[in-house]
Amino acid sequence: MIQRTLPRPDRRSRARARRTSRILVALAAMAALLSVDLPDALAEPPLGVTAQAVPDTTADRVGALFAAGLDGGHSCTAAVVRSDDRNVIATAAHCLGALDGALFAPGYRDGKTPYGVWQLTGTYVAPDWADGGNPDDDIAFATVAEVDGRQIEDVVGGFPVAAEQPGDATVTIIGYPSSEEVPLRCANSTTLFSETQRRIECPDLSGGTSGSPWLVDGSLAGVLGGYEGGGTVPEVSYSAVMGDQAVELYREAAVTN
């Protein structure tokens, strides 16, 4: 009988096998770790923390306002809201001046305008703001011209407008500091500073974030502005409460007669 002898595994093969086993164990552990921690890594920042806004359908409806063309730098923020003619944006009244050269760029990032540049064509501000700059009326709306036969809401969508939000509502703010070329995002619970002003604590919301939408469950409940022009320190911001006057302005801008 011929005896068959199994080949003796050499030491290098055994070492390779051990290394392969260790690698597989490490990969399995990594996969398990990622399966637990990955959602946390992608989660929104904690309340009260300001970070760059990730591009998504919400951030894309928010854009930078340029008072005198793109070369002049952006000085405020605005957001697209729903309207019959699909051409209305919301911002702070103190952000709206002369229309000549005034432009809105939704989704603006690093000098790029992925959703086009839109010329402002009309403004809607409260009489008390126009006459005396009443901070309780520092919410305004504007219309923009169509581009290539399309309205702005057809391109990025728009936020519904919601009045009468509770004083302690959790608000998400997305805005463009003048010193940044990307939008920042912060969410936090709010308090009523007065019957007509809402207050939030979010760091780094400096000049240029005026007009930033205050979103409650995806609806616009105010804009950064109002008391002290929206705040004198980057850590604390204000918005006029969306009251009857602001709702009437919105209807004037948004509803086709």
Side-chain angles (χ1 to χ4, degrees), residues 61-66 78-80 89 102-106 116-118 120 144 152:
R61 294 174 183 173
V62 182
L65 270 179
F66 297 80
V80 184
I89 61 175
L103 302 172
F104 174 63
V117 179
W118 304 74
L120 272 64
V144 297
I152 193 167

Side-chain angles (χ1 to χ4, degrees), residues 11-250:
R11 294 178 180 176
R12 287 174 298 179
S13 297
R14 289 198 297 269
R16 282 195 297 269
R18 285 195 296 269
R19 284 198 299 272
T20 301
S21 177
R22 287 197 296 268
I23 291 171
L24 290 174
V25 170
L27 288 175
M30 185 179 295
L33 180 64
L34 289 175
S35 68
V36 172
D37 289 344
L38 188 57
D40 290 338
L42 296 178
E44 296 175 346
L47 294 181
V49 174
T50 300
Q52 286 190 10
V54 176
D56 58 17
T57 54
T58 298
D60 291 345
R61 294 174 183 173
V62 182
L65 270 179
F66 297 80
L70 297 182
D71 293 337
H74 51 89
S75 55
C76 276
T77 302
V80 184
V81 293
R82 294 180 183 173
S83 64
D84 286 355
D85 292 335
R86 308 177 70 80
N87 64 346
V88 175
I89 61 175
T91 188
H94 76 258
C95 289
L96 296 177
L99 291 178
D100 292 344
L103 302 172
F104 174 63
Y108 177 84
R109 287 176 186 267
D110 296 319
K112 297 181 174 60
T113 56
Y115 303 106
V117 179
W118 304 74
Q119 173 72 51
L120 272 64
T121 57
T123 60
Y124 297 80
V125 298
D128 282 350
W129 175 265
D131 292 340
N134 186 341
D136 293 340
D137 290 305
D138 198 8
I139 299 176
F141 301 89
T143 52
V144 297
E146 66 179 24
V147 173
D148 296 329
R150 303 181 72 187
Q151 301 291 356
I152 193 167
E153 195 179 337
D154 297 326
V155 178
V156 296
F159 297 116
V161 172
E164 300 181 359
Q165 296 297 318
D168 60 351
T170 296
V171 162
T172 297
I173 298 175
I174 300 174
Y176 289 80
S178 298
S179 59
E180 301 280 347
E181 290 298 288
V182 294
L184 300 182
R185 177 197 179 281
C186 180
N188 209 350
S189 57
T190 59
T191 58
L192 284 179
F193 177 71
S194 68
E195 291 184 356
T196 55
Q197 296 286 328
R198 192 185 297 275
R199 180 183 187 275
I200 193 170
E201 293 186 8
C202 275
D204 302 321
L205 297 182
S206 55
T209 57
S210 288
S212 299
W214 287 38
L215 304 172
V216 177
D217 295 328
S219 296
L220 186 133
V223 300
L224 199 154
Y227 178 69
E228 294 182 335
T232 57
V233 295
E235 294 77 22
V236 179
S237 299
Y238 300 89
S239 167
V241 171
M242 182 75 70
D244 293 341
Q245 176 66 77
V247 170
E248 184 59 34
L249 272 181
Y250 169 62

